[in-house]
Amino acid sequence: DSGVTQTPKHLITATGQRVTLRCSPRSGDLSVYWYQQSLDQGLQFLIQYYNGEERAKGNILERFSAQQFPDLHSELNLSSLELGDSALYFCASSQRQENTGELFFGEGSRLTVL
Amino acid sequence: GQNIDQPTEMTATEGAIVQINCTYQTSGFNGLFWYQQHAGEAPTFLSYNVLDGLEEKGRFSSFLSRSKGYSYLLLKELQMKDSASYLCAVRDLTFGKGTMLLVSP
């Protein structure tokens, strides 16, 4: 158990819909990272937050948005869903703003868009 | 930008030694990470190299050459449970697509 909690574990929805994925980082960790993993693309970095502020942005679509709240939990919002958005979405956390050590990954949220 | 290359698949026999290579090109460097990921599970941290040389941790070792943009993960005394994908990552943001290792009896 990494200490990072993600909900829901599984989600099935239809194209055009909107979903919210939630992540609670390990106690004491200030950085939260979101990754998307699909079979053909591997693990793709989406976005990082540090202590409530956006720290770095990767290949995140405009239809996707995220935020980190004062209690440090984070949410990833995916809207106007397309079939290609079906993937495993991981959240990871670490203590520092710059990663110089281990990232702790949650179990992931598996999104299926039908 | 950053680019990471790893072999897609490797096979090895239980008890053997296997070396998984990773080459990278990055505009900035603050370390190279190796993660293990079993199918359908979360990646778990294996090692972190920031200086050149070999870091040993039990059956797993990781090597880094910054001048060559090259790293490898060495797995000794392979066990069936080592069958997994091994991900090379530069900084925390960019991961390689992973090397799927299959260990056979």
Side-chain angles (χ1 to χ4, degrees), chain B residues 18 20 22 24 26 29 31 37 43 45 54 60-61 81 86 88 96:
Chain B
V18 71
I20 302 175
C22 170
Y24 64 90
T26 179
F29 183 81
Q37 185 179 25
F45 173 82
L54 188 67
F60 292 3
S61 303
K81 67 178 182 179
Y86 291 86
C88 171

Side-chain angles (χ1 to χ4, degrees), chain B residues 5 8 34 73 87:
Chain B
D5 286 312
T8 305
W34 284 95
L73 180 69
L87 310 172

Side-chain angles (χ1 to χ4, degrees), chain B:
Chain B
Q2 298 177 113
N3 188 44
I4 297 175
D5 286 312
Q6 311 178 227
T8 305
E9 292 181 355
M10 296 183 72
T11 58
T13 307
E14 199 174 12
I17 299 173
V18 71
Q19 177 175 313
I20 302 175
N21 296 323
C22 170
T23 57
Y24 64 90
Q25 295 170 325
T26 179
S27 55
F29 183 81
N30 74 342
L32 186 139
F33 305 82
W34 284 95
Y35 283 79
Q36 180 192 60
Q37 185 179 25
H38 287 98
E41 297 182 10
T44 55
F45 173 82
L46 290 177
S47 68
Y48 169 57
N49 294 67
V50 65
L51 299 175
D52 291 350
L54 188 67
E55 295 278 343
E56 296 188 73
K57 192 186 291 186
R59 293 189 301 114
F60 292 3
S61 303
S62 56
F63 171 83
L64 175 67
S65 169
R66 289 172 295 172
S67 62
K68 295 182 180 177
Y70 168 69
S71 173
Y72 67 73
L73 180 69
L74 194 69
L75 292 76
K76 303 175 187 174
E77 300 170 14
L78 281 173
Q79 302 175 10
M80 299 296 288
K81 67 178 182 179
D82 297 329
S83 292
S85 184
Y86 291 86
L87 310 172
C88 171
V90 178
R91 300 170 68 94
D92 52 294
L93 307 180
T94 304
F95 279 76
K97 291 190 177 181
T99 299
M100 180 67 68
L101 174 66
L102 178 62
V103 180
S104 57

